[in-house]
Amino acid sequence: MSEDRHYQDRGYQVFRGTLPLNLVNAVADRAREFVGYDGKAIRQDGSFAPHDFFPGTRLIRNSPANMHLPLPGEQAPLSNALRDLVSCQALADCLRKLDGAQHYNVHQSLLFYAGQTTGMHIDSWSVDTAPHGYSHTLWIPLQDIEPNTGSIAVIPWPRTRLVTEKDLGLPESGTHRERHDRYHTALTERILSERPEVIATYLRRGDFVVWSSLTPHLSLISNPFPRERLSLQVLVLPAHRTRGTFVHQPAQWFADRTIRINDTFSFYLPENVIEAFGIRADDR
């Protein structure tokens, strides 16, 4: 089965031995050096905070976010290494096998130092396209994944299969967090009632897996917990697609706030990064 057909039918695709090892190893090396950084960095929740370690370890618990952006000072070595990896031609070549897009916007990156405990969810609530299902999530291991390391598991799921709040008998009211949590509790119950397959792979450096914004997935817990599992999650959208979320579906395409990195990739600029570092978006 071709990569694009597999992705359409099952909502994920594994690429093996495709990423340049020198770029993967550079990110891993800079990430381990970054443990010694004692300043504030962007975190997954959007705050700027110093490292918070898992008790008794040097494993960062509050994952650094969007470090692929052009950040200054002591953050620059990690920033530069991440930029080179997430905008490399090898990555673009793989994504084009799935959707044929000419240009991509990197919306977010998260750097994980240890296996997570994240339950079943879909990434559409963070970012998606309008219509749903055409945003990609990339999970890139920065070290070889072993059986006890803790990996990522996906539920095979047609790429554009959308289960709405109405489908689950839920109201479309409440705060975003209330709706998010209520939805994922009900979605998990629905999926488990279908007795699904769960796909987990023990990837090596140079491999990565990509899944759709609508594909359910979860983290498998390491043994012992916590333990080092360096990995990178990247949210990517084809630039010709309209950016939205699960609950917000714009009717018309709009030019996003980005900086162009090369002929294939641009990086989305969150407002908090613009305010903190004065990075300017390209003219629209």
Side-chain angles (χ1 to χ4, degrees):
M1 185 184 298
S2 65
E3 288 98 338
D4 63 335
R5 174 50 57 191
H6 186 273
Y7 193 54
Q8 295 298 326
D9 291 349
R10 295 176 68 80
Y12 75 95
Q13 178 63 41
V14 178
F15 291 98
R16 295 178 174 85
T18 52
L19 298 179
L21 283 179
N22 63 312
L23 299 184
V24 174
N25 291 338
V27 173
D29 291 343
R30 301 295 83 76
R32 291 188 174 103
E33 292 170 0
F34 192 64
V35 171
Y37 175 69
D38 60 4
K40 294 182 178 180
I42 315 167
R43 304 296 168 176
Q44 184 174 359
D45 64 0
S47 67
F48 288 81
H51 296 332
D52 175 30
F53 297 101
F54 285 99
T57 77
R58 295 290 286 173
L59 299 174
I60 297 173
R61 179 163 53 181
N62 54 341
S63 301
N66 293 328
M67 295 292 294
H68 64 281
L69 294 172
L71 304 179
E74 295 178 71
Q75 300 179 76
L78 177 55
S79 169
N80 293 339
L82 283 166
R83 177 202 62 211
D84 291 345
L85 177 58
V86 304
S87 65
C88 72
Q89 189 60 45
L91 199 58
D93 291 343
C94 292
L95 291 176
R96 284 174 175 160
K97 292 179 179 179
L98 305 180
D99 64 13
Q102 294 303 304
H103 200 84
Y104 297 93
N105 292 340
V106 175
H107 182 78
Q108 182 192 69
S109 68
L110 293 172
L111 181 60
F112 296 113
Y113 282 78
Q116 304 297 294
T117 58
T118 312
M120 196 179 300
H121 66 288
I122 60 174
D123 291 330
S124 176
W125 285 77
S126 297
V127 70
D128 205 338
T129 53
H132 296 89
Y134 294 93
S135 174
H136 309 292
T137 298
L138 286 56
W139 188 72
I140 305 172
L142 303 174
Q143 64 187 78
D144 293 345
I145 302 301
E146 307 294 344
N148 291 332
T149 307
S151 186
I152 292 292
V154 299
I155 309 298
W157 191 266
R159 179 180 182 177
T160 56
R161 179 187 174 188
L162 174 64
V163 178
T164 66
E165 290 169 290
K166 183 178 180 180
D167 293 334
L168 296 172
L170 301 175
E172 297 179 351
S173 60
T175 67
H176 185 272
R177 173 51 60 183
E178 289 170 345
R179 292 177 67 179
H180 172 279
D181 292 351
R182 188 167 58 211
Y183 176 85
H184 283 101
T185 297
L187 180 66
T188 298
E189 291 176 356
R190 169 74 64 85
I191 291 172
L192 292 179
S193 73
E194 297 174 355
R195 298 170 173 81
E197 296 179 3
V198 178
I199 305 298
T201 58
Y202 297 124
L203 302 180
R204 322 310 277 173
R205 288 171 298 133
D207 304 341
F208 74 99
V209 59
V210 54
W211 58 80
S212 158
S213 46
L214 294 177
T215 302
H217 58 283
L218 66 154
S219 296
L220 301 180
I221 299 175
S222 66
N223 182 25
F225 179 84
R227 92 183 255 173
E228 185 185 74
R229 190 210 65 188
L230 276 177
S231 61
L232 180 66
Q233 179 176 296
V234 189
L235 304 182
V236 181
L237 291 76
H240 69 279
R241 294 283 184 180
T242 302
R243 177 171 60 86
T245 65
F246 187 84
V247 299
H248 179 57
Q249 290 281 289
Q252 294 182 328
W253 184 88
F254 57 92
D256 229 333
R257 189 173 57 238
T258 60
I259 51 174
R260 189 178 181 90
I261 301 302
N262 54 37
D263 289 343
T264 310
F265 287 100
S266 294
F267 291 171
Y268 171 75
L269 283 178
E271 289 185 8
N272 64 339
V273 173
I274 294 175
E275 294 172 358
F277 299 106
I279 303 172
R280 294 177 58 86
D282 296 336
D283 293 334
R284 304 184 188 184

